[in-house]
Amino acid sequence: MITEPQYFHTIIIGAGPAGLRATFDIADMGFLPLLIDREEKSGGKLKEIDKWFSLDSCGFCRLLDAETRPILLSEENEILCLRHGIAKRNIPFWSSSAPVSVKSDENGFEIEIARGCGEKRIVKCSAVIITTGLEDSHLSCYSNFLAGRDPDVISAIQFEKLISYASPKPITRPSDSSPVKSIAFIACAGSRDNEHPWCSASCCSYLAREIGEVKKIDPSIQTILFYMDLRLYGKGMFLYGKNHLEGTRLINSKPAQISRSNQGSLIVTAGTESGIEKFYVDMVVLSGGNSPQNQNLFKMFDVETDRFGFPVCGSAINPLSTTNPRVFVAGSARNPCDIATSVMEGRAAASSALKLLLDSKGEKQKQKNGKILVIGGGISGLYAADSASSLGYDVAILEKEKEISGIARNILLDPHERNVNKILNEISSQILSKENVRVITGEEAVKIEGRPSNFRVKLRSGKILSNYDSIIIATGAPLFQDSRVDGKRILNLHQAEKIVQSKKTFEKDVVFIQCTGSRDDFHPYCNRICCPKAVT
Ligand code: SF4
Ligand code: SF4
């Protein structure tokens, strides 16, 4: 008997943080997702580490919404610990499974999936989200670091096992099991070189976490960190790095070579401010880094990739879209990113897939009724309003300035050299044409009362906005007011951008000074936008 293939609204390939988040969101909106992963358990790369930065704890439960925490490991609960590979019971999760062939038509895909048990199943879906992450960069190109040739030169992921809860202590050398007294950590090994010309985005943070863990296990172990930049992204990460790296010798250099001394130590040779120096240590940890692994998968779904294997974005308005309008990509599979960004992208990809489903015939009845207030009409507020309105919500955007679009209006080009004003005009007109979106400009919220499903917002003018189910705060951040900026010879980036926009030339050579108003004791975070902006 021939049976009709089972239909799922969206198939999510890859059960790491981005895939799990996308799956939960699609299920929460009343649609049927199918989550598949080639591994036996969910969690992706995060399964390999005991503790996440910046929580320094397991952290898997953070992938779930606050109301579904805490998770109790019990057969009776609907949701079990994600580390054990079980998500919500009502969500199908096919582990040890991968697509082997794909047919597509104007309604979606018919996918043949090979399962670990040897069975092959054919399923149908309207949209696909790829969240397969990246693989560890092959360190074989680091033959000068003895990578793969010396047991005491290991990757950060291998080192994770030596410091995990379950490992015996003290930390010992893999070569002879002798206690370790000194460790060199080398950042950017596997990234930012000719073979991997990108930043892997999370290795600075996990090296800081591992070094902090070493100090907790045995404060007498000497630690040295060789780094090119310390890219500790996120609002708490600068202080996190500062605390975790206290007592560690920081050397701003990428070493040239690792060798063995006759006495058995490893010798790290690096150029420093004092010239060429040699550092004698018991063990070396290479950060590793990540590389694309999905070329075949992208090819199967007719998604173009660049020369490194990363997917080509389909549209500036939706960076998670691909060259196939029914395929979205999130997390590190799109672009190396940290855990928090992966989760956000998983959520955004789910929203894009739902928008596609709701736009298609027959799914209108699943649209949500309700009211959402977006405070802030900058680019993130506009995206949020666009997604929420596409899901059927009545949306109001509240913007204190006279016009929507926020500080992005001052930016000429984005890091991909796309015209930001053109993108803003496109998304603004798309939003303003929607019947279920209204824009309130020149007004500011002064008081918010109530609770979810019944928020009441008082505006500066005295008007009241009431009965809002949810409020999205997207007010951005004001520009740092640096008293040294005089607008003539000392400019901030926005003022410099205006000169570039007006096509005037600078009278003299220009010096860019980065990180003013960031990464100091008063602003302990990286703003993430000023480096790419200065380069553009
Ligand atoms: S996150 Fe840090 S260690 Fe990793 S590639 Fe980027 S700069 Fe290098
Ligand atoms: S200039 Fe800005 S983006 Fe660059 S490192 Fe400093 S704070 Fe971060």
Side-chain angles (χ1 to χ4, degrees):
M1 187 178 70
I2 298 171
T3 52
E4 183 64 17
Q6 194 176 357
Y7 172 77
F8 298 91
H9 287 106
T10 303
I11 292 183
I12 298 98
I13 306 171
L20 285 165
R21 185 66 267 164
T23 306
F24 296 160
D25 281 3
I26 287 168
D28 287 347
M29 288 293 289
F31 291 86
L32 181 62
L34 168 65
L35 175 63
I36 67 171
D37 197 290
R38 65 182 180 180
E39 301 286 333
E40 198 187 327
K41 290 180 179 172
S42 63
K45 280 250 169 295
L46 298 180
K47 290 195 301 291
E48 296 173 28
I49 55 180
D50 272 3
K51 297 177 183 177
W52 292 6
F53 54 87
S54 60
L55 303 168
D56 280 355
S57 63
C58 165
F60 260 86
C61 308
R62 299 263 168 160
L63 286 174
L64 299 163
D65 290 322
E67 64 268 24
T68 51
R69 290 184 232 143
I71 311 303
L72 298 172
L73 189 59
S74 150
E75 285 300 315
E76 305 310 314
N77 289 332
E78 187 206 356
I79 303 163
L80 303 183
C81 174
L82 297 177
R83 257 187 204 274
H84 290 71
I86 304 162
K88 291 184 180 181
R89 280 211 179 138
N90 56 353
I91 297 174
F93 170 45
W94 293 3
S95 59
S96 309
S97 300
V100 286
S101 68
V102 177
K103 286 185 205 159
S104 60
D105 61 24
E106 68 279 9
N107 296 316
F109 302 104
E110 190 175 286
I111 307 173
E112 186 183 18
I113 297 177
R115 305 197 62 189
C117 51
E119 179 197 25
K120 280 191 181 160
R121 291 272 297 273
I122 295 183
V123 293
K124 286 186 166 187
C125 65
S126 300
V128 165
I129 300 176
I130 296 177
T131 51
T132 40
L134 298 168
E135 65 175 358
D136 295 339
S137 294
H138 297 291
L139 295 175
S140 48
C141 58
Y142 284 88
S143 56
N144 52 332
F145 283 179
L146 300 178
R149 290 193 286 133
D150 190 302
D152 296 333
V153 178
I154 60 176
S155 72
I157 289 291
Q158 290 167 325
F159 185 65
E160 192 68 35
K161 293 194 175 62
L162 298 185
I163 55 171
S164 81
Y165 292 122
S167 295
K169 305 290 176 310
I171 302 169
T172 53
R173 292 209 304 189
S175 62
D176 59 4
S177 301
S178 62
V180 166
K181 295 193 179 64
S182 55
I183 309 173
F185 291 82
I186 301 180
C188 301
S191 312
R192 302 179 68 188
D193 54 30
N194 288 339
E195 292 205 22
H196 320 89
W198 53 81
C199 168
S200 291
S202 55
C203 18
C204 276
S205 304
Y206 66 65
L207 284 184
R209 194 192 67 70
E210 289 186 345
I211 290 171
E213 202 63 34
V214 168
K215 294 290 184 194
K216 266 192 234 162
I217 294 168
D218 183 351
S220 72
I221 295 178
Q222 289 176 14
T223 47
I224 308 172
L225 173 61
F226 294 89
Y227 70 100
M228 291 163 75
D229 299 306
L230 276 181
R231 296 188 173 175
L232 297 156
Y233 296 129
K235 62 188 172 199
M237 290 308 293
F238 179 83
L239 286 178
Y240 178 87
K242 211 172 164 185
N243 293 337
H244 282 63
L245 297 176
E246 205 178 319
T248 293
R249 191 166 169 199
L250 300 177
I251 313 263
N252 190 194
S253 170
K254 191 164 183 176
Q257 194 177 31
I258 298 171
S259 53
R260 274 276 177 196
S261 74
N262 292 336
Q263 288 71 36
S265 295
L266 287 163
I267 309 169
V268 181
T269 307
T272 69
E273 285 178 353
S274 321
I276 307 288
E277 282 193 74
K278 291 185 189 303
F279 301 82
Y280 292 78
V281 292
D282 293 331
M283 187 189 280
V284 172
V285 176
L286 306 178
S287 64
N290 305 116
S291 302
Q293 61 170 339
N294 306 309
Q295 282 93 329
N296 285 342
L297 189 64
F298 287 127
K299 200 170 167 193
M300 215 184 282
F301 284 98
D302 207 14
V303 170
E304 273 178 45
T305 52
D306 65 16
R307 67 193 169 104
F308 303 112
F310 289 106
V312 173
C313 274
S315 133
I317 289 288
N318 186 352
L320 306 181
S321 64
T322 66
T323 46
N324 184 329
R326 289 188 176 273
V327 178
F328 303 91
V329 62
S332 288
R334 184 185 76 82
N335 193 33
C337 61
D338 58 16
I339 303 163
T341 310
S342 286
V343 175
M344 278 189 281
E345 289 196 1
R347 181 150 260 179
S351 159
S352 299
L354 289 172
K355 195 172 155 193
L356 182 86
L357 291 169
L358 290 164
D359 287 345
S360 65
K361 215 173 144 192
E363 300 293 354
K364 294 283 177 201
Q365 75 280 5
K366 287 198 186 284
Q367 287 201 344
K368 297 283 175 189
N369 295 315
K371 283 168 68 177
I372 291 182
L373 177 65
V374 179
I375 303 182
I379 198 147
S380 65
L382 294 177
Y383 274 112
D386 185 41
S387 297
S389 57
S390 296
L391 298 180
Y393 291 97
D394 281 327
V395 178
I397 302 171
L398 181 64
E399 168 57 51
K400 68 175 181 183
E401 302 295 337
K402 288 197 183 104
E403 284 182 8
I404 53 173
S405 69
I407 56 169
R409 214 26 112 188
N410 299 324
I411 299 173
L412 181 63
L413 298 172
D414 75 359
H416 304 286
E417 306 213 339
R418 293 175 300 211
N419 185 318
V420 175
N421 272 297
K422 195 165 158 243
I423 296 171
L424 279 171
N425 291 343
E426 223 174 292
I427 189 163
S428 302
S429 55
Q430 184 177 308
I431 287 168
L432 294 175
S433 67
K434 290 188 167 183
E435 280 175 12
N436 58 344
V437 176
R438 76 178 169 124
V439 178
I440 307 162
T441 51
E443 273 283 23
E444 207 175 348
V446 289
K447 193 171 185 186
I448 299 176
E449 293 174 321
R451 55 188 166 73
S453 303
N454 189 19
F455 282 115
R456 190 169 179 271
V457 179
K458 187 173 178 194
L459 305 184
R460 190 163 295 287
S461 64
K463 282 186 199 151
I464 304 284
L465 303 174
S466 53
N467 297 327
Y468 279 88
D469 294 288
S470 307
I471 296 179
I472 296 173
I473 297 186
T475 45
L479 189 65
F480 171 59
Q481 298 300 324
D482 192 326
S483 57
R484 294 165 296 187
V485 170
D486 61 11
K488 294 174 191 146
R489 294 180 62 227
I490 303 175
L491 310 175
N492 62 32
L493 270 178
H494 288 270
Q495 292 164 336
E497 186 104 31
K498 280 206 175 102
I499 294 182
V500 176
Q501 281 191 30
S502 64
K503 299 206 167 34
K504 285 185 198 156
T505 49
F506 292 95
E507 283 170 20
K508 296 215 167 132
D509 291 345
V510 181
V511 174
F512 285 82
I513 302 176
Q514 299 301 100
C515 301
T516 54
S518 309
R519 301 177 68 183
D520 57 28
D521 287 343
F522 300 103
H523 316 90
Y525 39 80
C526 166
N527 275 299
R528 301 190 70 165
I529 186 172
C530 18
C531 274
K533 221 174 135 194
V535 172
T536 317

